[in-house]
Amino acid sequence: MHPATAKWYDRRDSVFIEFCVADSKDVKVNFDKTKCGFSCLGGTDNVKHENEIDLFEAIDENESKHKRTDRSVLCYLRKAQPGKAWPRLTKEKAKLSWLSVDFNNWKDWEDDSEEEMGNFDQFSDMMNNMGGEDDLPDLDGADDDESADSDDEKMPDLE
């Protein structure tokens, strides 16, 4: 039996774990208030994978789900306390060789206050309402040589 390679990332109300097993069969995912269990047969040689994770915080096991694809099994774990960041997936601080952070999906959402997000939306609206090139004043003769500034003298050639 081998643990499946997994990646995880944190969101405001949930945690996602992706078990990277191609062509998985007999997938079993068990959600408990403080644990997540995963097992399957994977690949053409039907290797048995099994993982058990003591979670950092409690989850709502009734709202947690999983979805199998040809390449992996994605688990959605609903946090029992939404809005609380998880600095790691596991209760223990030990580094697990089969577990890594999914930096492609990671987002430091805890730094995004609701007020800042509202300000960003207002800023976007303001930028959209400012208008484009059609609203620029007509600058007749701005590119004409005869309207050059008086201090624009011809520079001597470089030697």
Side-chain angles (χ1 to χ4, degrees):
M1 249 182 305
H2 302 287
T5 302
K7 300 184 290 188
W8 80 283
Y9 59 98
D10 185 34
R11 287 288 189 265
R12 190 175 300 280
D13 63 347
S14 56
V15 172
F16 291 85
I17 308 170
E18 183 177 16
F19 294 99
C20 304
V21 180
D23 301 323
S24 58
K25 298 179 247 352
D26 299 332
V27 174
K28 293 180 182 71
V29 179
N30 300 315
F31 298 115
D32 188 26
K33 194 146 193 75
T34 58
K35 290 185 180 193
C36 175
F38 170 79
S39 67
C40 75
L41 297 175
T44 54
D45 49 358
N46 288 327
V47 174
K48 173 105 170 133
H49 295 280
E50 194 166 322
N51 302 60
E52 179 141 332
I53 303 168
D54 288 321
L55 299 170
F56 179 75
E57 289 278 337
I59 61 168
D60 182 347
E61 65 267 27
N62 298 322
E63 291 291 319
S64 298
K65 306 170 185 146
H66 74 280
K67 181 180 183 197
R68 185 203 161 280
T69 66
D70 288 341
R71 303 179 78 197
S72 65
V73 178
L74 182 64
C75 298
Y76 163 84
L77 285 64
R78 180 80 174 186
K79 291 180 181 178
Q81 294 180 317
K84 187 174 181 183
W86 288 22
R88 61 185 180 277
L89 181 63
T90 59
K91 187 175 264 327
E92 300 296 320
K93 286 187 177 182
K95 172 93 173 105
L96 301 172
S97 61
W98 52 267
L99 181 65
S100 63
V101 173
D102 186 350
F103 287 107
N104 291 334
N105 289 307
W106 191 270
K107 180 179 183 300
D108 282 335
W109 58 264
E110 62 184 329
D111 297 337
D112 299 338
S113 71
E114 296 298 324
E115 183 179 319
E116 287 172 339
M117 293 307 287
N119 289 346
F120 178 77
D121 291 339
Q122 289 174 353
F123 179 74
S124 294
D125 291 343
M126 182 180 73
M127 293 300 287
N128 290 335
N129 292 334
M130 285 181 69
E133 294 178 14
D134 297 340
D135 297 335
L136 292 174
D138 189 16
L139 302 174
D140 285 335
D143 293 333
D144 296 345
D145 288 335
E146 60 201 35
S147 66
D149 290 343
S150 60
D151 63 342
D152 288 343
E153 300 173 9
K154 179 154 175 49
M155 297 286 292
D157 291 335
L158 294 175
E159 295 180 13

